[in-house]
Amino acid sequence: MSVQNIRERFFPHIWCPGCGHGTILNNLLHTVQELQIDPSNMCMVSGIGCSARISGYVDFHSMHTLHGRALACATGIKLTRPELNVVVPMGDGDAMAIGGNHFIHACRRNIDMVAIIMNNRIYGMTGGQYSPLSGEGILATTAPYHSIDHAFDTVKLATGAGASFVARTTTFHVKEIVSLLKKAFAHKGFAVVEILTQCPTYFGRKNKMGGAVQMLEWYRDNTAPLGSKKLEENPNLIPRGVFVDEQRPEYCEEYAKIIAKAHKE
Ligand code: SF4
Ligand code: MG
């Protein structure tokens, strides 16, 4: 099914006007189409949250699972059907709080799938609570005077936990989303792609950032590509690009060797 057909069949969606999640879905669909992956060879597994509703808008095999448990379900699917392209979109709370333990262990196992962290720095669906990626000084429903919690850096966390592919971009950089997702799908191993995205309804409104356009402009002005002059001149900007791209033994292949060994005995 083409991107156009999917749009006609499944839209309108439930996300608020200006939400960045639709941009991520759109560019994920373009990636799958450009890579000419048969949708029947795709499997999307999501947890709970605004981001997790993404699995309702694809014509892939899909599972809308428990909060924070998408990677655990996806691991089971991939081990039993290793030929499938498994993609796991998660919100910042879903991936890094409720699912934080599953995330670090999926990174160290190096199982072949694409984990997309849709990071809008807030719990959108439940009303704007701060998440492990909000950071200090952020206003949220549960931090009316401001958050004092230091945020995880997704890239550093994934790298430290052993992910063999780690990248970051934003919803402002739509072509970069497609190019990084293409690399992530081509990678054999656990690929983490963090996409900084906007929740104008809660994060934007509470932190007086304006609407979606102003939030996208913030990503334009406060990020820079790795290795760029802009980043060199202002190291406080958030770096974008591919941070890790390594070949390491992949979990399903190693597991298949164990099964073969067991059959011989
Ligand atoms: Fe998007 Fe925020 Fe609305 Fe959820 S609450 S759909 S994250 S804008
Ligand atoms: Mg969120």
Side-chain angles (χ1 to χ4, degrees), residues 14-16 19 21 50 120 124-125 198-202:
I14 57 124
W15 292 311
C16 307
C19 178
H21 292 347
C50 294
N120 56 17
M125 182 173 272
Q198 73 279 10
C199 169
T201 300
Y202 288 110

Side-chain angles (χ1 to χ4, degrees), residues 87-105:
V87 59
V88 187
M90 296 168 281
D92 40 304
D94 194 36
M96 297 296 168
I98 303 96
N101 211 4
H102 293 300
F103 180 77
I104 56 174
H105 292 289

Side-chain angles (χ1 to χ4, degrees), residues 67-258:
H67 208 358
R69 313 296 173 222
L71 282 171
C73 293
T75 298
I77 291 168
K78 186 67 185 178
L79 277 170
T80 49
R81 295 286 304 275
E83 74 281 9
L84 291 175
N85 295 286
V86 178
V87 59
V88 187
M90 296 168 281
D92 40 304
D94 194 36
M96 297 296 168
I98 303 96
N101 211 4
H102 293 300
F103 180 77
I104 56 174
H105 292 289
C107 288
R108 84 178 159 84
R109 287 190 183 117
N110 198 36
I111 190 160
D112 184 30
M113 60 180 67
V114 177
I116 303 174
I117 315 299
M118 300 160 77
N119 178 11
N120 56 17
R121 304 175 66 192
I122 205 142
Y123 286 90
M125 182 173 272
T126 46
Q129 297 85 356
Y130 69 92
S131 87
L133 300 188
S134 297
E136 296 105 328
I138 291 306
L139 296 171
T141 309
T142 44
Y145 300 105
H146 71 80
S147 162
I148 57 169
D149 279 22
H150 188 63
F152 277 138
D153 179 323
T154 305
V155 166
K156 288 182 182 165
L157 183 67
T159 303
S164 54
F165 182 94
V166 183
R168 178 193 284 132
T169 186
T170 87
T171 44
F172 179 82
H173 302 91
V174 288
K175 287 187 181 165
E176 200 170 79
I177 295 178
V178 175
S179 77
L180 293 181
L181 285 179
K182 277 184 176 173
K183 287 180 186 156
F185 276 105
H187 179 76
K188 187 85 179 162
F190 193 67
V192 178
V193 180
E194 180 181 36
I195 305 178
L196 306 179
T197 176
Q198 73 279 10
C199 169
T201 300
Y202 288 110
F203 192 90
R205 201 178 284 164
K206 284 186 183 296
N207 290 283
K208 301 187 176 38
M209 290 191 73
V213 172
Q214 290 73 29
M215 295 180 83
L216 286 166
E217 286 170 348
W218 193 93
Y219 286 137
R220 177 195 64 195
D221 298 339
N222 290 277
T223 67
L226 277 174
S228 66
K229 203 166 172 349
K230 190 178 168 191
L231 189 62
E232 201 179 299
E233 286 170 354
N234 191 348
N236 292 328
L237 296 178
I238 302 167
R240 310 189 319 267
V242 177
F243 297 78
V244 179
D245 189 358
E246 291 170 359
Q247 292 305 315
R248 288 212 343 253
E250 193 277 321
Y251 198 71
C252 295
E253 290 181 355
E254 295 305 303
Y255 188 67
K257 288 179 198 165
I258 297 293

